[in-house]
Amino acid sequence: MQNTDEKTKSKLKNIIISAVCILGIVSVLIISLGNKIGLPDWNDVFAFCGVYADLGDGISLSFINVGSADACYIKCRDKNVLIDAGTSLSYDKLSAYLKRNNCDHFDAIIVSHPDSDHIGSLSDVIKDFGTDVLYMYPVSEDIVPKSIEYNRLIDALDECSVNVVNPSIPSEINIGDMDLEFISPLKSYDNTNDSSLVVRLTYKNNSFLFTGDISKKAESDLLNFGVHLDCDVLKVSHHGSKTSSSEEFLKKASPQISVVSVGTGDRFSPDYTTMAVINSFSDEVYRTDSDKTIVITSDGDSLNVKTHA
């Protein structure tokens, strides 16, 4: 039989084990929900511990899970490029991911268009990370957003003396081993979505097409002008909405991989019929609502995909 001291020690041991288990479970839940309730999430924990994702030696494109918004971080050896920056609410997640992957400055930032779900966090990105240059196509005065996010962006550009370039269409720039072509807007549109700065990025034998939020109307213009649209990876326009991704456009682009940036529980995107069309013209389709952050790496020939990054 156990004496009183042994029983006490055994009971104390069980209490400690139970307490540790409960604490562990609670910690996991808190960290998992951290970004939603304003506390550190897993990205913050990884960054604090110095744990970085393996983005390879060639080029990597991280389509960051920023909900119903867009943000793509591109790393090519020592070059860092950002296309769009999600909403103002996604900055903590975005910055944690960048720090986790040892990014402390951008060689270039590209703004597809000035809607809040594409520039929401950009003022904070500029202040905290900085950039050598920002590419942004000017929209006409009558469609310039009157949002808080847009005003904050303009203030940050002025405060940080950012070199802002309004690229001509078409034009091409080189950043390290990357070639970037600005291929649209081809004319003046009456809305910010169709005025999106469409970019085709080439790295060795692979190509990547970023379409902003253009609709079928702007897609048709690209087709009619005979613009080179063929790509290995397509960032699907306008979060997979029913206003974009025509069969003709997808057939011309003929992507191996399509990525849809969309939020969980979004009532309007992606559209079921549109997704069916995207699936019919793509070998692989990924979505940030179900696949979370999607990282595509390439050595210049072959593509590899990692989800839940």
Side-chain angles (χ1 to χ4, degrees):
M1 294 181 62
Q2 289 182 315
N3 59 35
T4 303
D5 288 343
E6 290 175 334
K7 288 181 179 179
T8 301
K9 289 179 181 178
S10 178
K11 184 181 291 185
L12 181 60
K13 181 179 179 181
N14 290 334
I15 291 174
I16 292 174
I17 292 174
S18 298
V20 171
C21 290
I22 292 172
L23 181 61
I25 293 171
V26 171
S27 298
V28 169
L29 289 173
I30 290 175
I31 294 173
S32 298
L33 297 172
N35 192 255
K36 295 181 179 180
I37 60 178
L39 295 173
D41 63 8
W42 286 115
N43 275 332
D44 299 303
V45 173
F46 290 142
F48 179 78
C49 297
V51 178
Y52 305 116
D54 182 11
L55 297 184
D57 295 325
I59 190 172
S60 68
L61 297 91
S62 298
F63 297 89
I64 302 172
N65 176 27
V66 288
S68 299
D70 270 17
C72 183
Y73 166 50
I74 303 168
K75 184 175 182 62
C76 187
R77 294 187 170 84
D78 63 337
K79 302 299 182 182
N80 296 298
V81 176
L82 182 69
I83 300 181
D84 291 338
T87 67
S88 57
L89 297 176
S90 62
Y91 180 67
D92 288 344
K93 178 178 288 188
L94 175 60
S95 62
Y97 186 84
L98 296 173
K99 292 173 184 176
R100 176 182 163 196
N101 290 290
N102 210 25
C103 173
D104 57 10
H105 184 79
F106 287 103
D107 296 277
I109 292 177
I110 298 171
V111 178
S112 68
H113 63 297
D115 285 359
S116 297
D117 57 335
H118 291 253
I119 64 164
S121 291
L122 202 47
S123 58
D124 290 322
V125 169
I126 290 169
K127 292 177 182 178
D128 293 347
F129 292 86
T131 182
D132 291 346
V133 59
L134 182 139
Y135 294 95
M136 179 169 62
Y137 193 79
V139 296
S140 58
E141 286 295 329
D142 55 330
I143 61 172
V144 170
K146 295 178 174 58
S147 65
I148 294 174
E149 292 87 351
Y150 182 75
N151 291 332
R152 289 184 64 211
L153 171 59
I154 297 304
D155 289 343
L157 293 173
D158 181 60
E159 179 183 337
C160 299
S161 301
V162 175
N163 177 27
V164 178
V165 173
N166 302 139
S168 57
I169 306 296
S171 62
E172 183 176 335
I173 61 171
N174 303 103
I175 302 176
D177 295 329
M178 297 177 287
D179 296 323
L180 294 93
E181 302 172 78
F182 299 112
I183 60 176
S184 189
L186 294 167
K187 59 185 182 180
S188 178
Y189 294 99
D190 61 2
N191 62 84
T192 54
N193 285 344
D194 283 332
S195 301
S196 292
L197 186 59
V198 178
V199 182
R200 187 175 184 273
L201 186 159
T202 303
Y203 173 70
K204 296 184 179 180
N205 294 320
N206 289 139
S207 54
F208 311 84
L209 186 62
F210 297 86
T211 55
D213 277 356
I214 62 172
S215 72
K216 293 175 183 177
K217 179 180 179 181
E219 291 175 355
S220 179
D221 290 334
L222 285 165
L223 292 169
N224 292 335
F225 275 82
V227 177
H228 189 192
L229 299 173
D230 182 68
C231 61
D232 296 303
V233 176
L234 171 67
K235 197 293 294 183
V236 171
S237 178
H238 207 189
H239 321 288
S241 74
K242 64 181 180 180
T243 61
S244 306
S245 303
S246 67
E247 290 190 19
E248 296 79 11
F249 180 82
L250 291 170
K251 183 178 181 180
K252 189 69 174 180
S254 62
Q256 175 183 334
I257 298 171
S258 291
V259 177
V260 184
S261 187
V262 63
T264 303
D266 192 314
R267 293 186 299 164
F268 304 104
S269 298
D271 176 69
Y272 178 83
T273 303
T274 300
M275 288 303 298
V277 175
I278 293 169
N279 274 281
S280 68
F281 287 98
S282 308
D283 295 331
E284 304 172 53
V285 179
Y286 297 92
R287 302 166 43 153
T288 56
D289 59 344
S290 54
D291 298 307
K292 307 309 175 186
T293 294
I294 301 151
V295 179
I296 301 176
T297 57
S298 169
D299 58 5
D301 289 304
S302 60
L303 300 169
N304 293 286
V305 182
K306 178 182 179 182
T307 61
H308 296 80

